[in-house]
Amino acid sequence: PQPDWRRDSDFARHLWPMDPDDREGAWRILVEAHALGAHQSRIDELAAKWGCDDTDADNYAKRVGVTIQRDGDAWCATGPGFQDIQASPIGFGEPKLEAMANLARALGMSAGKMWAPTFRDLLEKAA
């Protein structure tokens, strides 16, 4: 049998469109790859290369409708339909990228082709 490139890759877990000039697309790839279990070192490498840091995370979060607040020693990411910690999907993490990835995972992020639901799609569905 042929090897599955998604399992053998340290990053590829899903198929994404890529436009190097699209900040939202870069963040989408990083958040979704993290949520799907890509290797942390590869995520960190691409985040640094693309300038996706905690300051820039606020811009992306605002565009997709995520609220990120400090909660103790971690960031807490919540979606637009957030009610409370018991009733709503949330994501905790350090840095903000990890918090959003954990929110994506809590919303049911799953690997697929380019037409699979995106992080933004999951947020809109949960609202």
Side-chain angles (χ1 to χ4, degrees):
Q2 286 190 319
D4 185 340
W5 58 268
R6 290 169 295 183
R7 289 192 185 101
D8 295 337
S9 171
D10 62 354
F11 187 78
R13 297 290 185 265
H14 186 79
L15 296 176
W16 296 279
M18 178 58 181
D19 175 355
D21 297 323
D22 178 17
R23 298 296 303 148
E24 185 174 338
W27 273 100
R28 175 189 167 201
I29 290 169
L30 292 170
V31 168
E32 293 178 10
H34 194 304
L36 296 170
H39 290 187
Q40 188 65 48
S41 61
R42 185 64 172 138
I43 292 168
D44 293 343
E45 176 187 347
L46 289 173
K49 180 177 183 174
W50 296 342
C52 296
D53 57 19
D54 271 356
T55 302
D56 192 47
D58 294 330
N59 297 321
Y60 172 68
K62 185 176 179 179
R63 285 187 78 173
V64 297
V66 170
T67 300
I68 300 178
Q69 299 177 353
R70 199 74 177 158
D71 187 332
D73 62 352
W75 293 105
C76 178
T78 59
F82 178 75
Q83 295 174 7
D84 61 53
I85 283 184
Q86 286 75 31
S88 301
I90 58 171
F92 287 97
E94 184 71 42
K96 293 176 183 179
L97 168 59
E98 182 179 14
M100 287 190 283
N102 286 329
L103 174 59
R105 192 174 295 116
L107 290 167
M109 184 83 231
S110 61
K113 306 285 188 211
M114 285 193 281
W115 54 84
T118 66
F119 179 44
R120 183 189 280 255
D121 294 337
L122 295 171
L123 289 165
E124 290 171 358
K125 183 178 176 185

